Amino acid sequence: MEVRSGDNLEAMKAQLERTMARYPWVQMVLFGELCAFGPDIARAQPMPGAAEQYFCALAQEYGIWLIPGSFNELSGDIVYNTAPVISPAGAVVTRHRKIYPFLPYEKGIAGGTECTVFDIPEVGRFGLSICYDMWFPETTRSMVAMGAEVILHPTMTNTSDRELELSIARTSAAVNQCYFCDVNNVGELGYGRSVIVGPEGDVIYQAQSGPETIVFEIDLKRVRRVRERGLLGLGQPLKSFRDALVRYPIYTQNAATDCALKNLGPLELPRRERK
């Protein structure tokens, strides 16, 4: 949906009402990152809190699973970019704190420390990540190793790297043999082009740059079949990753200070060069 800096709660409610009126069979709704209030840290609030309860009431009213994108969570003196997962009963079943804030641009936001999965009874296990998390393949691979068959991924991208994110979404789905649902805002805070990718890296639907409601059906039998038989009847990367004897040195203790990464310099904005 079209998102602006400021309070978008009523606009989100109206969008949800339109969606449920047109597609009453929908069981889950996912909005884009920071959809509720935009990136303004001054609007951060505790979870549980007023905004989260607002969405809990909407989820209960329509009897749906609701991931209202994310909004800035105030926890003591620390601010996280957090996405709640709300059940049809209006209960928060889990929250994901964005692990990788978009530094050095997303200033003042602390990174979370845990990958997030949750179960829908008699359906399957879902994973949840936020925007820049996707650039680190360990996040999706970890959720899949924890049993996730679908990755839900709210995004707020209004920069020139959106094309690369579409490639990452397809690759993440293919190498992990899962659905990858990347939903981006439009308008002031997003370039749109949301994409739904199937477990063989196939694009099920890609939106344009304007407001759109994407409705599709997840087939978890397909995920399980692809993982069993191979992607396009060929590679079985999850099994190969599981069975390989290699242990990657980058993940061993002290690797961060012993490898070439230590020579990259500080994480900061580039400086204008003077000649």
Side-chain angles (χ1 to χ4, degrees):
M1 60 171 278
E2 187 164 345
V3 176
R4 60 179 177 81
S5 297
D7 190 330
N8 294 295
L9 296 186
E10 288 300 316
M12 293 176 71
K13 178 181 179 181
Q15 178 64 52
L16 184 59
E17 289 174 345
R18 288 192 295 269
T19 298
M20 298 310 300
R22 189 169 190 178
Y23 308 103
W25 56 85
V26 162
Q27 296 169 283
M28 175 185 284
V29 174
L30 171 66
F31 285 90
E33 180 190 19
L34 297 173
C35 197
F37 301 108
D40 187 1
I41 292 180
R43 292 182 176 271
Q45 58 180 270
M47 292 186 181
E52 192 176 65
Q53 288 302 308
Y54 180 87
F55 292 119
C56 286
L58 288 176
Q60 186 174 27
E61 178 181 352
Y62 289 105
I64 57 170
W65 289 87
L66 177 60
I67 299 90
S70 67
F71 47 98
N72 287 327
E73 172 198 2
L74 183 62
S75 178
D77 296 328
I78 301 174
V79 177
Y80 298 97
N81 182 341
T82 303
V85 176
I86 304 169
S87 76
V92 176
V93 299
T94 192
R95 301 181 182 96
H96 175 67
R97 288 173 170 171
K98 186 177 182 179
I99 297 174
Y100 293 98
F102 188 40
L103 298 175
Y105 300 94
E106 198 173 357
K107 296 179 180 179
I109 304 296
T113 59
E114 296 181 0
C115 292
T116 302
V117 298
F118 65 96
D119 292 326
I120 295 183
E122 301 180 12
V123 176
R125 180 164 290 183
F126 291 67
L128 178 61
S129 59
I130 300 173
C131 201
Y132 200 43
D133 286 345
M134 77 183 314
W135 285 76
F136 304 86
E138 294 84 356
T139 59
T140 302
R141 178 55 55 86
S142 294
M143 288 184 285
V144 167
M146 296 163 70
E149 298 172 303
V150 180
I151 305 300
L152 305 172
H153 189 76
T155 292
M156 185 189 74
T157 299
N158 61 356
T159 49
S160 57
D161 56 353
R162 182 58 183 159
E163 186 70 33
L164 293 172
E165 289 183 340
L166 299 177
S167 298
I168 294 171
R170 289 194 68 185
T171 301
S172 296
V175 301
N176 292 287
Q177 299 168 287
C178 65
Y179 283 94
F180 201 98
C181 308
D182 181 353
V183 175
N184 190 23
N185 301 318
V186 303
E188 175 188 340
L189 297 180
Y191 284 167
R193 302 179 72 193
S194 298
V195 66
I196 309 299
V197 187
E200 294 179 280
D202 51 301
V203 175
I204 295 173
Y205 188 84
Q206 183 177 320
Q208 300 301 311
S209 57
E212 285 192 60
T213 300
I214 304 171
V215 178
F216 76 104
E217 184 175 285
I218 290 171
D219 181 2
L220 293 183
K221 290 182 179 179
R222 183 186 173 202
V223 174
R224 295 157 193 169
R225 181 69 170 172
V226 169
R227 290 179 176 181
E228 175 192 358
R229 302 282 291 180
L231 185 147
L232 302 176
L234 299 168
Q236 300 177 40
L238 288 182
K239 293 179 184 178
S240 293
F241 180 80
R242 178 199 64 194
D243 296 344
L245 299 178
V246 63
R247 295 294 178 265
Y248 297 99
I250 184 61
Y251 297 120
T252 61
Q253 189 174 9
N254 299 323
T257 57
D258 293 341
C259 71
L261 298 181
K262 68 179 181 179
N263 297 320
L264 295 178
L267 179 54
E268 62 185 12
L269 286 170
R271 297 180 181 179
R272 180 181 300 173
E273 294 183 1
R274 297 180 180 273
K275 295 184 179 180

